[in-house]
Amino acid sequence: MAHDIVIRGGQIVDGSGREAFSGDVAIDGGLITEVGKVSGSARREIDADGLHVTPGFVDIHTHLDAQIGWDPSCTPVSWHGVTTALLGNCGVTFAPCRPGDKELLAGMMEAVEDIPRQAILGGLPWDWEGYGGYLDSIERIRPGINVAGLVGHSAVRFYVMGERAVEEQATDAERRQMAAIVAESIDRGAVGFSTNRFPPHTLPDGRPIPGTFAEHGELIEIARAVAPRGAIMQAVGADFEVLKAIADQGGSRVLFSYGVGPDGSLAGQRRDALEVLCAGPGRNMTAISQVRSSGLVFGLPTSLPVATRSDAWRALRAMPFEQRLATIDDPVQSAHLIEEAIKFGFPTILGASVEKVFTMGEGQTPDYAAGESCQLIAMAAARGEHWAHTLVRMMRESRGKVLFTLRMFNADMKGLSHLISSPNCLPGLGDAGAHVSQVMDSGWASFILSHWVRKTGLYTMGEAIRRMTSAPANVIGLTDRGLLAPGMRADVNVFDAAAVAECHPEVAYDFPGGAMRYIQRARGYKATLVNGQVNLLDGELTGARAGEVLRHKQRDNQHDKAAQHVG
């Protein structure tokens, strides 16, 4: 009897941490059936000679909650080997939602995660109220990759408290009601709960999103509903006292965002503090961090955060791209823009100013770790000109194609390497689906392979793949994904380890209503399989749509067949 698919002659890295070994992988009925030397024929064979064969990558920090409605392929992460994505991070979700509250939740998501509100309202069916109903709706969309979801604190709090959720503390009865809603959401399929304690994340009117300053007791009450169900608590912006309260008194597994901060010299202290926190008796805690210096990506087609008090720059930002290009082509207007930039300067954003502005280089792939050769002020000094002159000149000479990065997070790569080598910190935090006109970190997996494995050797290939597959799968409770072994679901990548890399970010206008976003393609991927079907071949998506909604718990026999059990 012929196998459905056999991947022949690859270097297998199975996701356990074991280093590569030669062999084949057989797939039947969406499951891996053999790993090693596979005899017999197959209906389809994939030649993996000279290539690595690994489990599909598991992305546990995305905001694809909206985008999946109009882009079920979930680009760009599906171009970078991701076969499973966790939605609902950072406390902002679209469920639970009362019928009259969808505009509020859409506006909150736009303000926090830079996903256009009109795209959200027009691109989703909004045919749910509870979180289980949201997962049902995603299931009907038939996603191209697997997705799991967290129910968000802000939506739960507003559902219970209404307008009072923004600035008031909950009563004991309201805390119990929130915990009950979270429990019901998990019972209907959510893999856990997310909360947001980051004050810069605000509503459109500038007030903090619901839950930002909620008392610890509210989170502990919710954690007591999450923990017995074997689900997780995810947090962003939470201090260690909050995290300890959730983990110790609630008894929950905890996932939280972390980084080295603006001063790389403190990286050692931050790692020490992390390891003390995670080593507490009985604690199950995991940090996640960006894999490189990250922050605002900008250029002539996009936000241009220059001279924010200047009328000339304000007018430029209001123009369509072709008019912007014509403006900087005009010597008089170009000179005036440079004068205004010198006068008003570059704003400081989350502690980062013009000294942290870098280009991505001129090579075939972006250089995210470049030093002075790509630093705007150093490039300007080398030519004896002001940075404003260099900025405008580079935009003009590239016809608006050059993009700049303001390194706001993890600016010190040496410090970052120390942090993400900790056993308590996973590399990831790509934020796919969020900050779509501001940030592009969705290629995090390709960067790990190209930089932290191939260039620096921080990780061996076996350890890197473990941290991208079985380790994150374990964090969210997936028991049959993340490893290449008989009986596991056939989520598989085949790639050229010597070539895999990110391409330069590009601007696309493919969101509903023509809204702009960044995209980023990948190099070096031969094939990606999702549930045993080829989702990507030679860098192009096939349209297979074989993804599943991975539910924490099936609610009836229908979901026993249609959804994957988690937990």
Side-chain angles (χ1 to χ4, degrees):
M1 177 178 172
H3 294 289
D4 290 344
I5 297 175
V6 173
I7 302 170
R8 294 280 187 195
Q11 291 296 302
I12 297 172
V13 186
D14 65 9
S16 68
R18 179 183 178 184
E19 296 304 323
F21 59 93
S22 298
D24 313 320
V25 176
I27 296 167
D28 296 283
L31 298 175
I32 296 169
T33 51
E34 292 185 54
V35 177
K37 180 62 177 175
V38 175
S39 59
S41 61
R43 296 182 181 90
R44 180 174 191 172
E45 292 204 0
I46 297 173
D47 182 4
D49 183 38
L51 306 177
H52 279 67
V53 182
T54 75
F57 305 143
V58 180
D59 190 338
I60 56 174
H61 195 108
T62 85
H63 293 279
L64 291 163
D65 311 55
Q67 184 184 322
I68 197 171
W70 58 83
D71 176 25
S73 294
C74 297
T75 58
V77 294
S78 52
W79 290 324
H80 295 269
V82 169
T83 57
T84 297
L86 179 62
L87 317 182
N89 287 275
C90 302
V92 282
T93 57
F94 300 127
C97 177
R98 298 188 188 279
D101 292 343
K102 64 181 182 180
E103 293 212 11
L104 181 138
L105 295 185
M108 180 165 57
M109 185 70 83
E110 178 182 55
V112 173
E113 303 294 350
D114 181 43
I115 305 169
R117 184 174 66 91
Q118 290 306 320
I120 295 169
L121 291 171
L124 287 172
W126 293 96
D127 53 355
W128 61 81
E129 181 163 339
Y131 198 81
Y134 170 76
L135 294 178
D136 291 342
S137 185
I138 296 304
E139 205 163 57
R140 289 189 288 272
I141 288 169
R142 295 178 49 242
I145 64 174
N146 307 306
V147 293
L150 302 165
V151 62
H153 193 182
S154 292
V156 171
R157 206 170 203 266
F158 198 85
Y159 189 88
V160 170
M161 298 176 64
E163 184 64 26
R164 291 179 49 251
V166 179
E167 294 175 312
E168 294 186 27
Q169 296 299 334
T171 65
D172 290 345
E174 287 168 337
R175 289 180 180 181
R176 290 191 295 271
Q177 187 180 355
M178 281 186 255
I181 290 171
V182 171
E184 179 187 9
S185 299
I186 294 169
D187 292 343
R188 289 287 309 278
V191 298
F193 166 85
S194 67
T195 190
N196 193 322
R197 313 281 290 186
F198 189 49
H201 284 169
T202 61
L203 295 168
D205 63 10
R207 293 181 298 164
I209 62 172
T212 305
F213 299 106
E215 293 173 342
H216 293 190
E218 181 173 316
L219 292 172
I220 293 169
E221 184 82 28
I222 291 169
R224 286 173 179 158
V226 173
R229 289 169 167 78
I232 64 171
M233 298 279 286
Q234 186 270 340
V236 63
D239 61 38
F240 279 8
E241 291 306 309
V242 172
L243 295 173
K244 284 192 291 186
I246 295 170
D248 292 349
Q249 297 187 51
S252 294
R253 292 183 292 125
V254 176
L255 172 66
F256 62 99
S257 302
Y258 202 56
V260 296
D263 187 347
S265 66
L266 298 178
Q269 296 178 31
R270 291 182 70 80
R271 174 169 167 170
D272 290 345
L274 170 68
E275 294 184 351
V276 169
L277 172 69
C278 294
R283 290 180 190 156
N284 187 333
M285 306 181 74
T286 304
I288 186 171
S289 181
Q290 287 111 335
V291 300
R292 58 174 180 246
S293 300
S294 172
L296 183 67
V297 177
F298 68 94
L300 192 65
T302 60
S303 58
L304 287 175
V306 180
T308 53
R309 292 181 293 131
S310 162
D311 289 340
W313 281 89
R314 189 177 299 115
L316 184 71
R317 284 187 284 272
M319 297 175 186
F321 174 73
E322 293 300 328
Q323 190 177 354
R324 292 185 186 193
L325 194 56
T327 299
I328 65 170
D329 274 341
D330 181 88
V332 174
Q333 295 187 79
S334 178
H336 182 54
L337 286 167
I338 292 169
E339 290 172 3
E340 291 283 280
I342 293 171
K343 177 181 177 181
F344 290 104
F346 193 98
T348 298
I349 305 173
L350 294 180
S353 189
V354 70
E355 293 80 10
K356 296 294 185 183
V357 175
F358 291 76
T359 71
M360 298 182 192
E362 298 179 357
Q364 289 187 327
T365 59
D367 189 349
Y368 289 103
E372 287 190 355
S373 64
C374 291
Q375 184 185 29
L376 180 61
I377 59 171
M379 295 167 73
R383 293 182 63 108
E385 60 189 21
H386 192 273
W387 64 261
H389 190 286
T390 305
L391 178 79
V392 173
R393 176 177 53 77
M394 291 182 70
M395 291 192 298
R396 181 175 60 250
E397 291 175 353
S398 70
R399 310 314 296 158
K401 292 182 179 179
V402 66
L403 294 174
F404 302 85
T405 301
L406 177 63
R407 296 181 181 175
M408 299 154 59
F409 310 109
N410 290 343
D412 184 272
M413 291 286 282
K414 183 177 179 181
L416 176 59
S417 70
H418 186 65
L419 180 66
I420 62 173
S421 63
S422 167
N424 303 112
C425 186
L426 292 177
L429 199 57
D431 254 0
H435 310 295
V436 295
S437 68
Q438 301 170 339
V439 176
M440 178 39 60
D441 289 335
S442 297
W444 62 272
S446 298
F447 185 84
I448 291 173
L449 295 171
S450 65
H451 184 82
W452 294 120
V453 176
R454 191 169 70 226
K455 184 175 181 179
T456 71
L458 177 72
Y459 298 136
T460 65
M461 181 63 79
E463 177 62 9
I465 296 302
R466 185 190 71 82
R467 286 173 180 252
M468 293 191 285
T469 59
S470 63
N474 183 63
V475 167
I476 59 174
L478 306 181
T479 59
D480 63 353
R481 298 175 196 268
L483 289 170
L484 297 183
M488 301 294 284
R489 300 295 295 180
D491 298 338
V492 187
N493 278 320
V494 183
F495 60 84
D496 182 350
V500 67
E502 297 162 286
C503 299
H504 282 276
E506 302 174 66
V507 172
Y509 297 90
D510 59 356
F511 269 26
M516 171 263 169
R517 68 162 174 155
Y518 286 116
I519 60 172
Q520 186 172 41
R521 304 204 50 126
R523 301 173 60 195
Y525 289 90
K526 172 65 178 178
T528 298
L529 283 70
V530 177
N531 295 309
Q533 295 191 38
V534 178
N535 190 56
L536 177 140
L537 186 64
D538 294 323
E540 297 296 332
L541 294 169
T542 66
R545 303 277 287 273
E548 297 178 356
V549 173
L550 308 182
R551 295 175 185 261
H552 185 76
K553 182 180 180 181
Q554 287 75 42
R555 57 190 172 88
D556 56 32
N557 291 332
Q558 175 187 354
H559 285 98
D560 289 340
K561 298 177 181 179
Q564 176 59 46
H565 181 72
V566 176

